[in-house]
Amino acid sequence: MAKKVETPKRGNGRGTVRRLPSGRWQWRATVELQNGEILRAAGTVDTKTEAEEALSRARTDAGRGQFNVTHSTTLEQYVRAWHELRQDAQAAKYTHGQKSLIETHIIPGLGKRRLSSITPRDLEAFYAGLQHQDKRREDTLGKPLGDSMRRQIHNLLHQVFAEAVRHGDLSRNPADVARPRYTRAAAQDETAKAWTEEEAGKFYAVAREDRRGVAFCFMLSTGIRIGEALGLRWENVELEAGRIHIKEALVSLGGKAHRTTPKTARSRRSMTIDGDALTILREMPERVALDKEAQGGHYVGSEAVFTSARGLPILPDNVYKLMRRLCLEAGVPYKGTHVLRHSFISIQGQHGQALEVISAHVGHARASFTQDRYRTVFDKERAALTLNFAPLTKDSERTP
């Protein structure tokens, strides 16, 4: 006759502890995270006391915004809890991007797998099968995901597994070994991400004459990010001293403006500006006066430096059409708005500015990142680099 399973009764939502036929004890808990998400956790231990303690820890961790990991915990459960705990300490745009990667790719691909069962081979197979999922983009839907997106997904998973290792939930990080394989097309892609000096000059001349385009000129002159430029407020500008203070960024989340902290800790910085960049700032009050006159009662106004015709902050999502038009008028290739930052960094490097100085100026965490991801070496820089030994050997005599 089978041994009866002993299940002590407890109140609703408090979980259960029961003795299994094997003599071991199983605990189960349904916990609610701080965002309202319901997660289920369970485990098997040797004694009733250990089961009670495990159940209590699960409930306590949930109350603190933590999550108790068991042998049956899935990657979906873990990554959701992991992301929930970190979103308040991260820039809103970065958090939004992480959530998109988690919901669109990671959970559908690996979410049901137990956290402890995922191997480096599993990750490599997952990376290889990644595809575009945005149904609004019929031209890319179902096609292999680009190398940059694969790398972002890998970096996110590496952070997740590293956290599990640090807390003792995993013995090793499978993402230490697994890597997304770069495609042949990417390896052969030699398209420069920056404009040459000549191209940048052509764009600057055209954009400088456009009421909204001057924001692009300011970005090209200073190297700041689009969110930092559009999020700049007059309270963070010292016109007389020629100083600006990057304390926040304007981002688009769900089509709505959202002010957030700069992207990284080093992104929060101050910089001295001069030349035409300072002239642009000094001209803005006069431009605002013209907008007020033109708009009349429709003018709203704001504290933003760069504004729409009605004086409202400009959403980053709303500048790409203008950027395309200005590039077409200037006769330069359209490469998105980030080309302004790439070009600033690369042209400064071309003129001999120290890389660590450029990196600190643009708010990067490491000079190596600036070098690897942003610095384009132009053909002009590589011209005439052949070593000529003739002058060094002209006086030497060859002996038989």
Side-chain angles (χ1 to χ4, degrees):
M1 185 174 180
K3 185 184 295 185
K4 183 178 179 181
V5 174
E6 182 181 339
T7 308
K9 293 182 179 180
R10 56 187 68 238
N12 262 345
R14 296 188 59 195
T16 61
V17 170
R18 65 170 185 164
R19 188 177 185 182
L20 300 175
S22 64
R24 302 192 75 202
W25 287 81
Q26 182 186 68
W27 64 271
R28 291 180 180 275
T30 301
V31 296
E32 182 177 356
L33 297 181
Q34 292 179 338
N35 65 348
E37 183 181 354
I38 302 297
L39 295 177
R40 292 175 175 81
T44 304
V45 291
D46 292 330
T47 68
K48 181 179 179 181
T49 299
E50 291 175 334
E52 294 278 4
E53 290 174 350
L55 178 60
S56 177
R57 281 197 304 271
R59 290 167 50 78
T60 301
D61 289 347
R64 293 174 177 171
Q66 300 172 344
F67 178 57
N68 190 278
V69 179
T70 72
H71 180 70
S72 60
T73 299
T74 65
L75 178 61
E76 177 179 0
Q77 293 173 322
Y78 191 86
V79 75
R80 286 189 189 278
W82 175 88
H83 184 257
E84 171 69 18
L85 290 173
R86 280 149 189 77
Q87 59 183 6
D88 291 340
Q90 298 176 154
K93 188 73 171 180
Y94 183 68
T95 296
H96 184 76
Q98 278 194 334
K99 184 176 182 180
S100 178
L101 295 180
I102 290 170
E103 299 293 342
T104 305
H105 299 289
I106 295 176
I107 289 178
L110 292 171
K112 301 305 180 185
R113 293 287 303 274
R114 286 184 295 108
L115 180 70
S116 59
S117 72
I118 297 173
T119 67
R121 291 185 184 277
D122 293 330
L123 291 182
E124 290 180 350
F126 167 67
Y127 297 146
L130 287 170
Q131 297 179 340
H132 285 280
Q133 303 294 333
D134 191 346
K135 295 181 180 179
R136 298 170 300 177
R137 299 286 302 275
E138 294 182 1
D139 55 329
T140 59
L141 183 62
K143 293 183 179 179
L145 209 58
D147 290 324
S148 176
M149 290 294 292
R150 291 172 192 260
R151 183 170 56 249
Q152 290 181 47
I153 292 170
H154 168 72
N155 291 342
L156 194 158
L157 283 171
H158 192 278
Q159 292 179 53
V160 171
F161 289 123
E163 180 86 344
V165 171
R166 189 169 69 86
H167 286 166
D169 302 320
L170 288 178
S171 60
R172 51 94 178 109
N173 185 339
D176 280 342
V177 178
R179 291 285 189 280
R181 297 193 178 187
Y182 294 113
T183 62
R184 184 176 179 83
Q188 294 175 338
D189 184 11
E190 297 181 356
T191 304
K193 294 181 179 180
W195 286 327
T196 63
E197 273 189 298
E198 293 74 20
E199 291 171 331
K202 290 179 181 179
F203 177 84
Y204 195 97
V206 171
R208 190 66 174 84
E209 300 302 315
D210 188 278
R211 168 66 180 88
R212 314 302 164 202
V214 293
F216 297 143
C217 294
F218 190 77
M219 292 165 59
L220 186 56
S221 298
T222 60
I224 65 177
R225 301 177 178 92
I226 184 170
E228 295 171 346
L230 300 184
L232 187 63
R233 292 195 280 190
W234 284 113
E235 65 184 65
N236 294 321
V237 175
E238 299 178 58
L239 277 180
E240 293 301 319
R243 296 274 292 173
I244 63 172
H245 307 283
I246 307 298
K247 296 182 177 180
E248 57 189 352
L250 187 72
V251 299
S252 297
L253 297 178
K256 296 182 179 180
H258 185 91
R259 288 193 177 273
T260 183
T261 55
K263 189 174 181 180
T264 65
R266 289 194 64 179
S267 297
R268 190 180 179 90
R269 63 202 187 280
S270 298
M271 61 176 64
T272 300
I273 58 173
D274 55 17
D276 197 46
L278 184 56
T279 300
I280 287 173
L281 292 182
R282 288 175 172 165
E283 291 175 352
M284 293 310 295
E286 181 180 346
R287 291 177 181 264
V288 168
L290 293 175
D291 284 340
K292 283 183 178 179
E293 182 180 350
Q295 293 292 320
H298 296 290
Y299 188 83
V300 179
S302 69
E303 286 298 311
V305 174
F306 300 103
T307 62
S308 68
R310 297 177 61 205
L312 296 171
I314 302 172
L315 277 176
D317 287 350
N318 295 340
V319 302
Y320 298 103
K321 185 177 181 180
L322 173 61
M323 183 76 179
R324 285 183 182 276
R325 176 173 66 78
L326 294 176
C327 286
L328 184 63
E329 291 180 17
V332 299
Y334 172 76
K335 301 183 180 186
T337 58
H338 217 46
V339 68
L340 304 170
R341 189 165 166 87
H342 277 275
S343 300
F344 172 86
I345 290 170
S346 298
I347 293 172
Q348 289 282 11
Q350 177 185 357
H351 285 278
Q353 185 62 263
L355 191 66
E356 61 272 19
V357 176
I358 300 173
S359 182
H361 177 84
V362 299
H364 282 162
R366 302 182 309 278
S368 59
F369 178 82
T370 309
Q371 174 71 56
D372 295 342
R373 301 292 177 84
Y374 282 82
R375 174 66 164 102
T376 294
V377 177
F378 300 111
D379 290 341
K380 183 188 296 187
E381 296 179 83
R382 296 189 296 183
L385 279 183
T386 303
L387 285 173
N388 182 10
F389 283 91
L392 303 176
T393 59
K394 62 181 180 180
D395 295 329
S396 64
E397 295 182 2
R398 299 182 64 182
T399 58

